[in-house]
Amino acid sequence: MAETSSADKKTGGRAGPPAEPVTEPVTGPVGPLGAVAAEFAGTMVLILFGIGVVAQVAGAEIGDHDSIAWAWGLGVTLAIYVAARASGAHLNPAVTFALAVFGDFPWRRVAPYMLAQTAGAFVAALIVRWNYTEVLAKADPGHTIKTQGVFSTLPGNGELPVGTMGGLRDQIIGTAILLFLVLAITDARNDGPAANLAPLMIGLVVVAIGMAWGTNAGYAINPARDFGPRLASFLTGYGGAWRDQYGDLYFWVPIIGPLVGGVLGAGLYKTLIGRFLPGRDEPVPEPAPSPARVPAEPA
């Protein structure tokens, strides 16, 4: 979800890491303030759907794990459509940080993006908390660990025998998968979808991660997604929001794990795929013909 420029028109408008590092991101006519506002709005949309569906399942028992995974993925898709033009739609500090580490995003813009993402997640969580006040109070009058997972992740989703280190491992792996695939989809030098379909494909990546990697730590894979709602829940009655079901401080795991995993995933993509792709202006070599495609000589 790197930022686009007019040069991308030759490649169907797909955004992604260019052949040379980006020194000045292009945000079009919106400017830096507009980009930050877009990150806030996009992340807010993402969390409204993501936290909202978990509140519905946990508080009213409407839906299940699959509906949660699909709502998160659709939330990502819709959020990217909201913010992509103005900011590149990072929507995740792990994405912003990883792009900066590899020179595809300027460090001076990292903190504003991260703050906007976290603020958007915080505001969205407050809206969900307010809207589901009665439902959550009925399901869990004491606002305990039973419904804490509506807003923030827990090791083993608060029930299975997974500890802090298991959650950290899971978050590193899950976010590495996310960044690897996001760069593969958005790299203009790769054979990814056109710009208008990239948000849908990234949303499907999140659905797949939720369905395959949601057990050990609730697939936060996004520090803003976890910390913003965690803070909102703490300020609205969830006194144990910073700890897990064992009483251990856990809030740092969905922050550090995704930041580490994002760099690993982006680095793997660049090492295994990106460095072998032609530049944007270089011709793509034709594959060698297979025997099946070579016409037989007449007898």
Side-chain angles (χ1 to χ4, degrees):
M1 287 179 281
E3 301 184 5
T4 61
S5 69
S6 59
D8 293 327
K9 293 178 182 177
K10 292 182 291 185
T11 57
R14 294 194 297 274
E20 298 297 330
V22 173
T23 55
E24 286 294 326
V26 178
T27 55
V30 301
L33 181 59
V36 169
E39 286 295 302
F40 173 88
T43 310
M44 183 171 65
V45 168
L46 164 61
I47 299 303
L48 285 173
F49 285 96
I51 300 296
V53 70
V54 182
Q56 181 170 265
V57 172
E61 298 184 354
I62 298 174
D64 54 19
H65 171 78
D66 287 354
S67 66
I68 290 174
W70 279 107
W72 274 110
L74 289 170
V76 168
T77 295
L78 297 172
I80 295 173
Y81 280 125
V82 167
R85 180 74 177 184
S87 72
H90 296 187
L91 312 176
N92 182 340
V95 172
T96 302
F97 183 70
L99 292 177
V101 166
F102 291 101
D104 297 325
F105 191 73
W107 281 105
R108 63 184 176 80
R109 311 262 320 256
V110 168
Y113 264 50
M114 287 185 173
L115 288 173
Q117 293 153 1
T118 304
F122 174 77
V123 170
L126 286 179
I127 294 171
V128 172
R129 178 72 175 88
W130 179 39
N131 188 60
Y132 280 93
T133 297
E134 299 86 358
V135 172
L136 292 173
K138 179 174 175 56
D140 181 19
H143 301 311
T144 66
I145 200 79
K146 180 180 179 182
T147 57
Q148 182 178 316
V150 168
F151 301 95
S152 53
T153 57
L154 293 163
N157 290 315
E159 298 177 351
L160 298 172
V162 178
T164 300
M165 290 299 103
L168 181 64
R169 177 190 65 230
D170 176 90
Q171 286 301 286
I172 291 173
I173 295 172
T175 314
I177 294 171
L178 175 68
L179 263 292
F180 186 95
L181 294 174
V182 164
L183 292 189
I185 291 169
T186 60
D187 192 337
R189 299 167 300 147
N190 206 347
D191 191 19
N196 60 337
L197 289 179
L200 177 61
M201 298 308 300
I202 294 170
L204 289 176
V205 167
V206 173
V207 173
I209 291 174
M211 289 183 170
W213 293 87
T215 296
N216 281 5
Y219 69 105
I221 55 175
N222 182 336
R225 168 265 175 272
D226 194 89
F227 183 79
R230 194 181 293 271
L231 177 60
S233 67
F234 175 75
L235 295 175
T236 58
Y238 285 84
W242 308 112
R243 299 182 181 273
D244 60 20
Q245 64 268 33
Y246 310 111
D248 299 326
L249 282 175
Y250 186 77
F251 74 93
W252 60 273
V253 171
I255 298 175
I256 301 301
L259 292 176
V260 172
V263 172
L264 289 177
L268 281 172
Y269 175 79
K270 289 175 177 290
T271 300
L272 298 176
I273 306 295
R275 70 191 181 102
F276 298 111
L277 297 176
R280 290 181 177 179
D281 297 323
E282 297 176 28
V284 178
E286 291 292 331
S290 67
R293 297 211 304 258
V294 176
E297 294 185 5

